[in-house]
Amino acid sequence: MKIRVINPNTTASMTEKIGACARAVASPGTVIDACQPDAGPVSIESHYDEALAVPGLLAAIRAGEAEGCDGYVIACFGDPGLLAAREVATGPVIGIAEAAMHAASMIGTGFSVVTTLSRTCGQARHLADRYGMSAHCRRVHACELPVLALEAPGSDARQRIIDTCRQALAEDGSDVLVLGCAGMTDLCDEVADATGVPVVDGVAAAVKMVEMLVGLGLRTSKHGELAAPPAKPYLGWLSAFGHGPAS
Amino acid sequence: MKIRVINPNTTASMTEKIGACARAVASPGTVIDACQPDAGPVSIESHYDEALAVPGLLAAIRAGEAEGCDGYVIACFGDPGLLAAREVATGPVIGIAEAAMHAASMIGTGFSVVTTLSRTCGQARHLADRYGMSAHCRRVHACELPVLALEAPGSDARQRIIDTCRQALAEDGSDVLVLGCAGMTDLCDEVADATGVPVVDGVAAAVKMVEMLVGLGLRTSKHGELAAPPAKPYLGWLSAFGHGPAS
Amino acid sequence: MKIRVINPNTTASMTEKIGACARAVASPGTVIDACQPDAGPVSIESHYDEALAVPGLLAAIRAGEAEGCDGYVIACFGDPGLLAAREVATGPVIGIAEAAMHAASMIGTGFSVVTTLSRTCGQARHLADRYGMSAHCRRVHACELPVLALEAPGSDARQRIIDTCRQALAEDGSDVLVLGCAGMTDLCDEVADATGVPVVDGVAAAVKMVEMLVGLGLRTSKHGELAAPPAKPYLGWLSAFGHGPAS
Amino acid sequence: MKIRVINPNTTASMTEKIGACARAVASPGTVIDACQPDAGPVSIESHYDEALAVPGLLAAIRAGEAEGCDGYVIACFGDPGLLAAREVATGPVIGIAEAAMHAASMIGTGFSVVTTLSRTCGQARHLADRYGMSAHCRRVHACELPVLALEAPGSDARQRIIDTCRQALAEDGSDVLVLGCAGMTDLCDEVADATGVPVVDGVAAAVKMVEMLVGLGLRTSKHGELAAPPAKPYLGWLSAFGHGPAS
Amino acid sequence: MKIRVINPNTTASMTEKIGACARAVASPGTVIDACQPDAGPVSIESHYDEALAVPGLLAAIRAGEAEGCDGYVIACFGDPGLLAAREVATGPVIGIAEAAMHAASMIGTGFSVVTTLSRTCGQARHLADRYGMSAHCRRVHACELPVLALEAPGSDARQRIIDTCRQALAEDGSDVLVLGCAGMTDLCDEVADATGVPVVDGVAAAVKMVEMLVGLGLRTSKHGELAAPPAKPYLGWLSAFGHGPAS
Amino acid sequence: MKIRVINPNTTASMTEKIGACARAVASPGTVIDACQPDAGPVSIESHYDEALAVPGLLAAIRAGEAEGCDGYVIACFGDPGLLAAREVATGPVIGIAEAAMHAASMIGTGFSVVTTLSRTCGQARHLADRYGMSAHCRRVHACELPVLALEAPGSDARQRIIDTCRQALAEDGSDVLVLGCAGMTDLCDEVADATGVPVVDGVAAAVKMVEMLVGLGLRTSKHGELAAPPAKPYLGWLSAFGHGPAS
C-alpha cells in the first residue's frame, strides 16, 4: 500500500519531519511517500495561506493518481482542500484534523486541541463542526507560536506547547489532547509523558485511518457530490488544471 | 462608493450579466465594477472548481485594494474564498449565498434554494450551516442544469428553473425562494411572477448588503481571525501571492 | 422611501434620539418617520413590559399602512411583536436586534452583545437562537443600567457601557460589538473609538436593512404563516383591533 | 389548591369546555377557576391575535394574584404571554403546549402534533424548540379547521381531526399524539380509541403539571429573569398596567 | 394508585430514605412501594455500576407488573435502564433525572445540577441531551462526595453540598437548582433555605410525574420502539429473564 | 496484537460468522479471539435484550483483561455497554456502530443505515447523536427481519436487505451504506456489488479501528469519567462483579 502524505506548505524540513513520523507508525507493507507542493506559502497561518496552498496540493494528488497511490493524507490541521481532493482521488483522502478528532473521540469523553496561533482556532472549531466533533471538542487553545517556530532549533516551543496542554486539561475537564499542527507531530510522546493523558497526533492518526480504509477496501463514494469533477477548460495560468482528472 | 463584483469563473458573458443586474439595483452614487479572474475554471460545479477559482478571486481583490474599492461581492453561490477575501480586503466582502440567505430570513419563515447541479447542493447546505441559516433553509433543490446552460440561448433552462421552484414551494412548505446560482440573476422577476412568492437573487442582495455596511461605516474586523494575513514568502508559480497584502 | 421607526416604549426623548440616529444613516430620498405608541410602558425591561408594548406598536404599524409607509423598524432590542407586525404590514419590518446581529455576522467571526439589565439577557439570547445567530453571538453582557439611565444627563452610563464592552471583548474572544439597546444608538462611534473594533448599532443597521429590502423590491411573504391575520371580532376595550387589517 | 385556567380568547363556549375538561382530571381538593379575558380576539389564529390576547391574559393573572390563586394554566396551544405571566404570578404558570409536549416525551419516543390552521404550525414548532422538545416533536400537522369550527355543532371537525391524526402517525413514525388546540380538549378519548396510541391533551396535562409543582412546593424562581417586573408608569389607555405588580 | 419506587442500588438505608421522601409528597390515595434489587452494587458511581444495576431493576419491575403496580420511579440520577423498563412495564416509568429536569425547566430559565462525583457528571449531561434539556441545564457540578457518604452520620456532606450549590448559582447564572443524586432527597428544603432559589429533588418530582401521568390515563406507548420485547430464550445464569414479559 | 471480538448475544453461529469476517480483514500479526457471553439473550432486539446482554459482555471483557487482550470489539449495532466496557478495559474498546459510522463519514457526504427491526432504529439514531454523526447519518431503515432470520438458511433475508439498501439510497440522497447488524457482516461485498456504492460493515471496521488505535499506542483515557470503576461490594447473584476490576 502506497500512501502519499502531503505537507501542503512548501517548507522542506517540515515535510521531512512529517514523513518520519508517518513512517514510524506505518504498518509493514505500507510505503509512505511524503511530499510538498512545488508552489505556495512556506507555512499556513491564515485563510489566505490555506486557500493558496490548495492548488499545489491538488496538483500533488493528481500526480499521485498517475503514480498509483492508494490513499492520501493532507498534513495540515486546517485540512485544506479535503473535499476537492476527494473528488480527484480514487483512494481515500484523510485530513489530519479529521483523523485526530475521530480517534480522540474513541478513547475519551472530550478532547482539547492545542494549536499554534489563535487566529487559526476558528478553522479548527469549524472542522470540529463539519466532522460532527463539536461536542467532543471541548475547546481549541493557541500557544501563540508561529508554525515555523516549531522548526527552529533552540526555541522554547516545546515547553510552551506542554504548558498550554496542561492548562487546557485543567480548564476544559477534557481527558484527551489533540496536537493541532502537523509541525507538532514529533512531540506526541513527550506531551503524553508530561501530562499523563493520551495525546493524538493527526499525522500518525491519518496514516492509520488511510490504512484502515484501504484495508477494508473502502474508497470515496463516487455516487454524488464527490464524483470526479465535470471536465471543462481552465483559462490563463491555471490552464493545466483544466479538462478535469477524468480526461 | 465603488463595489467590485467578482464573478469567480472565467466566462465573460456571465460577468456581463452579473454586472448588469448589480447595476440595476445599485443606489445612485454606487459604481459597480464587475470583473472576473484572469485564470481559472469557466464554471464552478465541484469542490475542485471552487478551490481553483480562489487564487484568481484573491488576485482580483488585491488589485481592488490598490484601486480603492470600498467593498466586494463574490458572485458565485458557493461563496468561494470568503474568509480569505475578508483577510485581504479592508472594506466589507459579501458572498451571494450569504446575502441571499440573510435577506430571505427577514421576509419569510423558511426559504427554498433552487440551484443548478445536485452535486453542488451540499455546499449550499454547508453555507446555510455556517451562516446560521440551517433552520431557515428548508431544502436545496437542483434543476440539474450545468451552469453554462443558463448562458445558452434557446435552452429550456428558464422553464426548468421555474418548474423546480414551484415544486420546491409545494414540497417544503416554504414562503420565499432563493436563486442558487449567479447565472440566474436575471430570472428573479420572472420567477416571482410565476410563483407569487418573494424571490431573492444573491447578486442583487449582496450589492445592497455591501451598500448597507459601507453606509454604516462598518468594515471587517481586523481584531483577530480576519486580520491581514501574516507576511511570508510564497514559492514557485504562486510567488506573486507572497509577502502578504500588508507588505 | 418612507420608513417608520417605532420606539415601542413611550419615552419621547428616546424616540427623538432614535430618530436622529436613523436620519444620520438614511440614504438621500429616505424619509424617517420616528414615532412611539400612544400607550404603554415608559421603558421595556421585562417580558411583562415587552408584551404590553406590542398593542401600541401594532397600532402604529396599522396607522403606518394607512399613511403609505414602505417599511418599518422596531427600535427595541427585544424585537417585540416582530412576527405580528410582519402579518400586518405590507412592506418589510425589521427588528433592531435582528438587523444588528445579521450585520455583525458579516464583518467578523463572533460578536458580543452589551445590554442594560441582566434580566433582559435571556431575551437577547433567545432572539439570537431564532435568527440563527447563536453560534455568532458569543455572549450577552449586562452593564446593569436601567434603560432610562441612558437618558439621564450627567450619569456615568457611557463609561459603564464602554467598560463592559472592553470586558466583553477580552472574555469572549469576539471581534465585533453589538449595542443591545435602542437607547445606546448614539454611542456607536464613541465605543468604536474606545475599543478599536467595529460596533453595530441596531437602529442604524435596521434602517439600512429596510432600505436594502425595499431597494430589492422585497416584501414579507404573504404565502403562509405571515399572511394578513384572518378577519374576526375583538371584544371589549381591544375592539378597535378587530376585523383584521384586511378589512 | 385553586388553579386558574385561562382561555386567552374571548369565546365563552370554549372557556366552558376547557373548564369542564380541567375539572374532569383535577385531583380532589383542587378548585378549577376557568375564565377568559374581558377584551381581545374571539379566537387565536395568528401572531397578531396572539399578541393581542396577552394584555387580557395578564390582567386575569394579576386579578388571580389578588384572589389567591395557587397556579395558572394558559389554555391556548401557542402558550401566549408565558414568560410575562411567570414574572407576574407567584405560583407556577404552565402553558398547554408546554405541558403536553413534556408529558408526551415521557411516554413515547416521538410525538406528532395535530393542530387547526397550518399558519399556526410555525408557533408550535417554535415552542417545541424553546422547551427542548424539537427532537421529540416529529412534526406538526394542520387539519385546516378554524378554531371556532371546533365549537360548531354538526361540523365534520372531529372526523377531520381523527383523519389527520391517523395520517400523522403513519407519516411520522411517531408513537404518541398531541392535540394542538385547547378547543380539542374534549376529543382526547375519542382520538385515542380511533388510533390506538396515547393522546395528550394540553389542558388536562397542564392542570396536572400545576398540581405536580404546587404539590412539590415549587414556584417560579424569582432569582433573575423571572422576578417581578420593575415598577414603572404606563401611559395612555394601558395605564392600568403600570406601577408593576410589586406596587 | 400504587407506585413502585426502585432504588437501583442495594443499600437499604438509602431505600428507606427514598421511600420516606416519596411518601411525603404522595397524594392521598397513592401507595408508595419503595424497594431495591436483590442483587447488584451497593452504590452507583460508574457506567459499570450503572449497567450492573439494571438486571435487578428490571426484575423489580417485572415483579411489580405481577403485583399490579400502576407506575414506577427509577430512583438513581443516571436513570439506569429507563427505556428497557418502559418496554417491560404497562404503566408509566419515570427516572428521577428526567422528572427533575423537566420540572426545573417549568419554573425557571436555567438550572444547575449538583451531584456527587465528577465522574458521573457526563451521564447527567448526556441525559439532559436525551430529554431535550441541554439548553436549560446550564452545568453539572460535583461536590466530590461518594454516594454512600451521604448516608454516613456526622459527615460534612450537607455543608459541602450547600457550598457547591451556592457556587453553582454564582457561576452559572442559573435560577433553579437540581439535586443530582437520590441520596440527597432529604436535603431539598435545607438547600432551598440556604440558597433562596427553588430546589428540585428528583425522587419527589418523579413521584408526582407518575401521579400526573396515571391521573391523565397515560401509559407508555406500545406502538413501536417501546412495545413489549419480543419473546425469546435467555441462556445461562440469566435464563430467568427469558421468554419475555409477554409470555 | 490480540483483539477480542465479543458477540453480545448467545447464538454461537453468529459468533462464528462474526469471527470469520473479523479474521478476513485483520492484519498479519493480529489474532482475533471471537467469543460470546455465557449468559443472556439469543439475540438483541429491544432495550431489554440490550440491557441484559451487558453483564455477560462485561464478564467477557474482565476475562479478556486477565488473558492479555490488547483491544475489544463489541459486535452488536446497539454498541451495548460501551462506556462501562471502556472503564473496565485497559486497551481500546470499539462498538461496531461507532466504527461503521466514523468510517462512513470519511468516504462520503451522507450515509444510510439498514438494520433489522424498526424497533431498533431509535437506538441507532441515538448512537449517531452520541458519536456526532447525526448530520452524516441521513436515515436508519429497517428491513423488518428478526436478527436470527439472518442465520436461517434458505431465507429471503439477503434479497430483502439489498432491496432496502437500494430504496435507502434513492430516498436519502446518501452516497454510502452502513449495515446495521453484526449478523449482516458477510453481506458487505454482495450489497456493494448490487448497489454500486461503498458499504461499511461495522465488524470489519471496528477490527481495523482497534488495530489503528493500538498501532498508535492509544488507550482509553483513565483521566476522569472512564477511569476504572471505584471498588465496592456487589450483593446477591451479581456478587462476582464486585470489588471492581482494580482489585
Side-chain angles (χ1 to χ4, degrees):
Chain A
M1 182 186 325
K2 181 174 167 187
I3 301 177
R4 174 160 286 190
V5 179
I6 307 171
N7 168 22
N9 75 33
T10 49
T11 294
S13 64
M14 211 164 139
T15 307
E16 230 169 280
K17 181 166 61 174
I18 288 167
C21 289
R23 275 174 211 109
V25 298
S27 294
T30 297
V31 175
I32 298 295
D33 166 20
C35 69
Q36 69 192 50
D38 61 351
V42 296
S43 63
I44 299 178
E45 297 171 323
S46 63
H47 297 287
Y48 179 84
D49 288 344
E50 193 176 302
L52 290 161
V54 174
L57 171 86
L58 293 175
I61 288 181
R62 291 178 77 192
E65 289 296 288
E67 296 166 30
C69 292
D70 296 290
Y72 301 87
V73 169
I74 300 180
C76 166
F77 206 80
D79 291 358
L82 181 61
L83 294 181
R86 282 188 179 148
E87 291 175 329
V88 171
T90 47
V93 185
I94 299 291
I96 65 169
E98 181 184 39
M101 291 184 187
H102 282 282
S105 80
M106 297 176 189
I107 54 170
T109 61
F111 58 82
S112 300
V113 176
V114 171
T115 186
T116 53
L117 298 179
S118 59
R119 68 176 298 153
T120 68
C121 293
Q123 175 67 4
R125 279 192 298 263
H126 169 57
L127 293 177
D129 282 353
R130 283 216 90 162
Y131 302 142
M133 294 294 117
S134 46
H136 293 86
C137 178
R138 296 277 165 87
R139 205 149 79 100
V140 182
H141 301 253
C143 50
E144 300 305 353
L145 284 165
V147 169
L148 296 185
L150 303 170
E151 305 299 293
S155 87
D156 65 345
R158 285 165 180 259
Q159 195 51 52
R160 283 174 66 177
I161 290 167
I162 287 172
D163 290 348
T164 308
C165 285
R166 283 201 182 110
Q167 196 180 347
L169 285 174
E171 287 177 11
D172 302 354
S174 54
D175 52 9
V176 175
L177 286 165
V178 166
L179 299 178
C181 177
M184 298 177 183
T185 186
D186 55 337
L187 303 180
C188 205
D189 291 346
E190 199 172 337
V191 177
D193 286 349
T195 60
V197 302
V199 179
V200 186
D201 158 47
V203 174
V207 166
K208 300 307 279 183
M209 288 288 188
V210 171
E211 285 186 350
M212 182 264 298
L213 292 168
V214 172
L216 292 167
L218 292 171
R219 298 167 158 217
T220 298
S221 178
K222 293 298 170 180
H223 181 78
E225 185 176 333
L226 301 178
K232 72 184 53 167
Y234 272 58
L235 304 190
W237 49 273
L238 288 163
S239 62
F241 286 93
H243 301 293
S247 69
Chain B
M1 184 187 320
K2 182 170 164 190
I3 301 177
R4 174 159 286 190
V5 179
I6 307 170
N7 167 21
N9 74 34
T10 51
T11 294
S13 65
M14 212 164 140
T15 307
E16 233 169 278
K17 181 167 62 175
I18 287 167
C21 289
R23 276 174 210 108
V25 298
S27 295
T30 297
V31 176
I32 298 295
D33 167 20
C35 70
Q36 69 192 47
D38 62 349
V42 295
S43 64
I44 299 178
E45 299 172 321
S46 62
H47 297 286
Y48 178 83
D49 288 344
E50 194 178 300
L52 290 161
V54 174
L57 171 86
L58 293 175
I61 287 180
R62 293 178 76 192
E65 289 297 287
E67 296 166 32
C69 292
D70 296 291
Y72 301 87
V73 169
I74 300 179
C76 167
F77 205 79
D79 291 357
L82 181 60
L83 294 181
R86 283 190 178 145
E87 292 174 329
V88 172
T90 47
V93 185
I94 299 291
I96 65 170
E98 181 185 38
M101 290 183 186
H102 282 281
S105 80
M106 296 176 190
I107 54 169
T109 61
F111 59 82
S112 300
V113 176
V114 170
T115 187
T116 53
L117 299 178
S118 59
R119 68 177 296 152
T120 69
C121 293
Q123 175 67 4
R125 278 192 299 263
H126 168 58
L127 292 176
D129 283 352
R130 284 215 89 164
Y131 302 142
M133 294 295 117
S134 46
H136 294 87
C137 178
R138 296 279 166 85
R139 204 148 79 99
V140 182
H141 301 254
C143 51
E144 301 303 353
L145 285 164
V147 170
L148 296 184
L150 303 170
E151 305 300 291
S155 89
D156 66 344
R158 284 163 181 263
Q159 195 52 50
R160 282 174 66 178
I161 290 166
I162 287 171
D163 291 349
T164 308
C165 284
R166 283 200 182 111
Q167 196 181 346
L169 285 174
E171 288 176 11
D172 301 354
S174 54
D175 51 9
V176 175
L177 286 166
V178 167
L179 299 178
C181 177
M184 298 177 181
T185 186
D186 55 338
L187 302 179
C188 203
D189 291 346
E190 199 171 337
V191 176
D193 287 348
T195 59
V197 303
V199 179
V200 186
D201 159 46
V203 174
V207 167
K208 301 307 278 182
M209 287 288 188
V210 171
E211 285 186 351
M212 182 264 298
L213 293 168
V214 173
L216 293 168
L218 292 172
R219 300 168 157 217
T220 297
S221 179
K222 294 296 170 182
H223 182 77
E225 185 175 336
L226 301 178
K232 72 184 55 165
Y234 272 59
L235 304 191
W237 49 275
L238 288 162
S239 62
F241 286 92
H243 300 292
S247 68
Chain C
M1 183 187 321
K2 184 172 165 190
I3 301 177
R4 176 158 284 190
V5 179
I6 308 170
N7 168 20
N9 74 34
T10 49
T11 294
S13 64
M14 211 163 140
T15 307
E16 230 168 281
K17 182 166 62 174
I18 287 168
C21 289
R23 276 175 210 108
V25 299
S27 294
T30 297
V31 176
I32 297 295
D33 167 19
C35 68
Q36 68 192 48
D38 61 351
V42 296
S43 64
I44 299 178
E45 298 171 323
S46 61
H47 296 287
Y48 179 83
D49 290 342
E50 193 177 302
L52 289 161
V54 174
L57 170 86
L58 293 175
I61 288 181
R62 291 178 77 191
E65 290 297 288
E67 297 166 31
C69 291
D70 296 291
Y72 302 87
V73 168
I74 300 179
C76 166
F77 206 79
D79 290 358
L82 182 60
L83 294 181
R86 283 189 178 145
E87 290 174 331
V88 172
T90 47
V93 186
I94 299 290
I96 65 169
E98 182 185 36
M101 290 183 187
H102 282 282
S105 80
M106 296 175 189
I107 54 169
T109 61
F111 58 82
S112 300
V113 176
V114 171
T115 187
T116 53
L117 299 179
S118 59
R119 67 177 297 153
T120 69
C121 293
Q123 175 67 2
R125 278 192 298 264
H126 169 58
L127 293 177
D129 282 353
R130 282 216 91 164
Y131 303 142
M133 294 295 116
S134 47
H136 292 87
C137 178
R138 296 279 165 86
R139 205 148 78 100
V140 182
H141 300 253
C143 49
E144 299 305 352
L145 285 165
V147 169
L148 296 184
L150 302 170
E151 305 299 292
S155 87
D156 65 343
R158 285 165 180 260
Q159 195 52 49
R160 282 174 67 177
I161 291 165
I162 288 172
D163 290 349
T164 308
C165 285
R166 283 201 182 110
Q167 196 181 347
L169 285 174
E171 286 176 13
D172 302 354
S174 53
D175 51 9
V176 176
L177 286 165
V178 167
L179 300 178
C181 177
M184 298 177 184
T185 185
D186 55 339
L187 302 179
C188 204
D189 291 347
E190 200 172 336
V191 177
D193 286 348
T195 60
V197 302
V199 179
V200 185
D201 158 46
V203 174
V207 167
K208 301 307 279 183
M209 288 288 188
V210 171
E211 285 186 350
M212 182 266 296
L213 292 168
V214 173
L216 292 168
L218 292 171
R219 302 166 156 218
T220 297
S221 179
K222 294 296 169 181
H223 181 77
E225 185 176 334
L226 301 177
K232 73 185 50 165
Y234 271 59
L235 304 190
W237 49 273
L238 287 163
S239 61
F241 286 92
H243 301 293
S247 68
Chain D
M1 185 186 322
K2 181 170 167 192
I3 301 177
R4 175 158 284 189
V5 178
I6 307 171
N7 168 21
N9 74 34
T10 50
T11 294
S13 64
M14 212 163 138
T15 308
E16 230 169 280
K17 181 166 62 175
I18 288 168
C21 289
R23 275 174 212 108
V25 298
S27 294
T30 297
V31 175
I32 297 295
D33 167 20
C35 69
Q36 68 192 49
D38 61 351
V42 296
S43 64
I44 299 178
E45 298 171 323
S46 61
H47 297 287
Y48 179 83
D49 289 343
E50 195 177 300
L52 289 161
V54 174
L57 170 86
L58 293 176
I61 287 179
R62 291 178 78 192
E65 289 297 289
E67 296 166 33
C69 292
D70 296 292
Y72 302 86
V73 168
I74 300 179
C76 166
F77 206 78
D79 291 357
L82 181 60
L83 294 182
R86 283 189 178 146
E87 290 174 330
V88 172
T90 46
V93 185
I94 299 291
I96 66 169
E98 182 186 36
M101 290 183 187
H102 282 282
S105 80
M106 296 175 190
I107 54 169
T109 60
F111 59 82
S112 299
V113 176
V114 171
T115 186
T116 54
L117 298 178
S118 59
R119 68 176 297 151
T120 68
C121 293
Q123 175 67 2
R125 277 192 300 263
H126 168 59
L127 293 177
D129 283 353
R130 282 217 92 162
Y131 303 141
M133 293 294 118
S134 47
H136 293 87
C137 178
R138 295 278 166 87
R139 205 148 79 97
V140 182
H141 300 254
C143 51
E144 300 305 352
L145 285 165
V147 169
L148 296 184
L150 302 170
E151 305 299 291
S155 88
D156 65 344
R158 285 164 178 262
Q159 195 52 50
R160 281 174 67 177
I161 291 166
I162 287 171
D163 290 349
T164 308
C165 285
R166 282 199 182 111
Q167 196 180 346
L169 285 174
E171 286 176 14
D172 302 354
S174 53
D175 51 10
V176 175
L177 286 165
V178 167
L179 300 178
C181 178
M184 299 177 181
T185 185
D186 55 337
L187 302 179
C188 204
D189 291 347
E190 199 172 337
V191 177
D193 287 348
T195 60
V197 302
V199 179
V200 185
D201 159 47
V203 175
V207 168
K208 302 305 280 182
M209 287 288 187
V210 172
E211 284 186 350
M212 182 264 296
L213 292 169
V214 173
L216 292 168
L218 292 171
R219 302 169 154 215
T220 298
S221 178
K222 294 297 169 182
H223 181 78
E225 185 176 335
L226 301 177
K232 72 184 55 166
Y234 272 58
L235 304 191
W237 49 274
L238 288 163
S239 61
F241 286 93
H243 302 291
S247 69
Chain E
M1 182 186 323
K2 181 171 168 190
I3 301 176
R4 174 159 285 190
V5 178
I6 307 170
N7 167 21
N9 74 35
T10 49
T11 294
S13 65
M14 211 163 140
T15 307
E16 232 168 278
K17 180 166 63 173
I18 288 167
C21 289
R23 276 174 210 109
V25 296
S27 295
T30 297
V31 176
I32 298 295
D33 167 21
C35 69
Q36 68 191 50
D38 61 350
V42 294
S43 64
I44 299 178
E45 298 171 321
S46 62
H47 297 286
Y48 179 83
D49 288 343
E50 193 177 302
L52 290 161
V54 174
L57 170 86
L58 293 175
I61 288 181
R62 292 178 77 190
E65 289 296 288
E67 296 165 33
C69 291
D70 295 290
Y72 301 87
V73 169
I74 300 180
C76 166
F77 205 79
D79 291 357
L82 181 61
L83 294 181
R86 283 190 177 146
E87 291 174 330
V88 172
T90 48
V93 185
I94 299 291
I96 65 168
E98 182 185 37
M101 290 183 187
H102 281 282
S105 80
M106 297 176 189
I107 54 169
T109 61
F111 59 82
S112 300
V113 176
V114 171
T115 187
T116 52
L117 299 178
S118 60
R119 67 177 298 153
T120 68
C121 293
Q123 175 67 3
R125 277 192 298 265
H126 169 58
L127 293 177
D129 282 353
R130 285 217 88 165
Y131 302 143
M133 294 295 117
S134 47
H136 293 86
C137 177
R138 296 279 166 84
R139 205 149 78 100
V140 182
H141 300 253
C143 51
E144 301 305 352
L145 284 165
V147 170
L148 296 185
L150 303 171
E151 305 300 293
S155 88
D156 66 344
R158 286 164 179 260
Q159 195 52 51
R160 282 174 68 177
I161 291 166
I162 287 171
D163 291 348
T164 309
C165 285
R166 284 200 181 112
Q167 196 181 346
L169 285 174
E171 287 176 11
D172 301 355
S174 54
D175 51 9
V176 175
L177 286 165
V178 167
L179 299 178
C181 178
M184 298 178 184
T185 187
D186 54 339
L187 302 179
C188 204
D189 292 346
E190 198 172 339
V191 176
D193 287 348
T195 60
V197 301
V199 178
V200 186
D201 159 46
V203 174
V207 167
K208 301 307 278 183
M209 287 288 187
V210 171
E211 284 186 351
M212 183 265 298
L213 292 169
V214 173
L216 293 167
L218 292 172
R219 301 170 155 213
T220 297
S221 179
K222 294 297 171 183
H223 182 78
E225 186 176 333
L226 301 178
K232 72 185 54 167
Y234 272 58
L235 305 190
W237 48 274
L238 288 163
S239 62
F241 286 92
H243 301 292
S247 69
Chain F
M1 184 187 320
K2 181 172 168 189
I3 301 177
R4 174 159 286 191
V5 179
I6 307 171
N7 167 22
N9 74 35
T10 49
T11 294
S13 65
M14 213 165 137
T15 306
E16 229 168 280
K17 181 167 62 175
I18 287 167
C21 289
R23 274 173 212 110
V25 298
S27 293
T30 298
V31 175
I32 298 295
D33 166 21
C35 68
Q36 68 191 48
D38 61 351
V42 296
S43 63
I44 299 178
E45 297 171 322
S46 63
H47 296 286
Y48 179 84
D49 289 344
E50 195 177 300
L52 289 161
V54 174
L57 170 86
L58 292 175
I61 288 180
R62 292 179 78 190
E65 289 297 288
E67 296 165 32
C69 292
D70 296 290
Y72 301 86
V73 168
I74 300 180
C76 166
F77 206 78
D79 291 357
L82 181 61
L83 294 181
R86 282 190 178 145
E87 291 174 330
V88 172
T90 48
V93 185
I94 299 290
I96 66 169
E98 181 185 39
M101 291 183 186
H102 282 281
S105 80
M106 296 175 190
I107 54 169
T109 62
F111 58 82
S112 300
V113 176
V114 171
T115 186
T116 53
L117 299 178
S118 59
R119 69 176 298 152
T120 68
C121 292
Q123 174 66 4
R125 278 192 299 263
H126 168 58
L127 292 177
D129 283 353
R130 283 216 90 162
Y131 302 142
M133 293 294 116
S134 46
H136 293 87
C137 178
R138 297 277 166 87
R139 205 149 78 98
V140 182
H141 300 254
C143 51
E144 301 304 353
L145 285 164
V147 169
L148 296 184
L150 302 169
E151 305 300 291
S155 88
D156 66 344
R158 284 162 179 261
Q159 194 53 49
R160 283 174 67 177
I161 291 167
I162 287 171
D163 290 350
T164 308
C165 284
R166 283 199 181 111
Q167 197 181 345
L169 285 174
E171 287 176 13
D172 301 354
S174 53
D175 51 8
V176 175
L177 287 164
V178 166
L179 300 177
C181 177
M184 298 176 182
T185 186
D186 55 337
L187 302 178
C188 205
D189 291 348
E190 200 171 337
V191 176
D193 287 348
T195 60
V197 302
V199 179
V200 185
D201 159 46
V203 174
V207 167
K208 300 306 279 184
M209 287 289 189
V210 171
E211 286 186 350
M212 182 264 298
L213 292 169
V214 173
L216 292 167
L218 292 171
R219 301 169 157 214
T220 298
S221 178
K222 293 298 170 182
H223 182 76
E225 184 176 334
L226 301 177
K232 72 184 54 167
Y234 272 59
L235 304 191
W237 50 273
L238 287 162
S239 61
F241 286 92
H243 300 293
S247 67

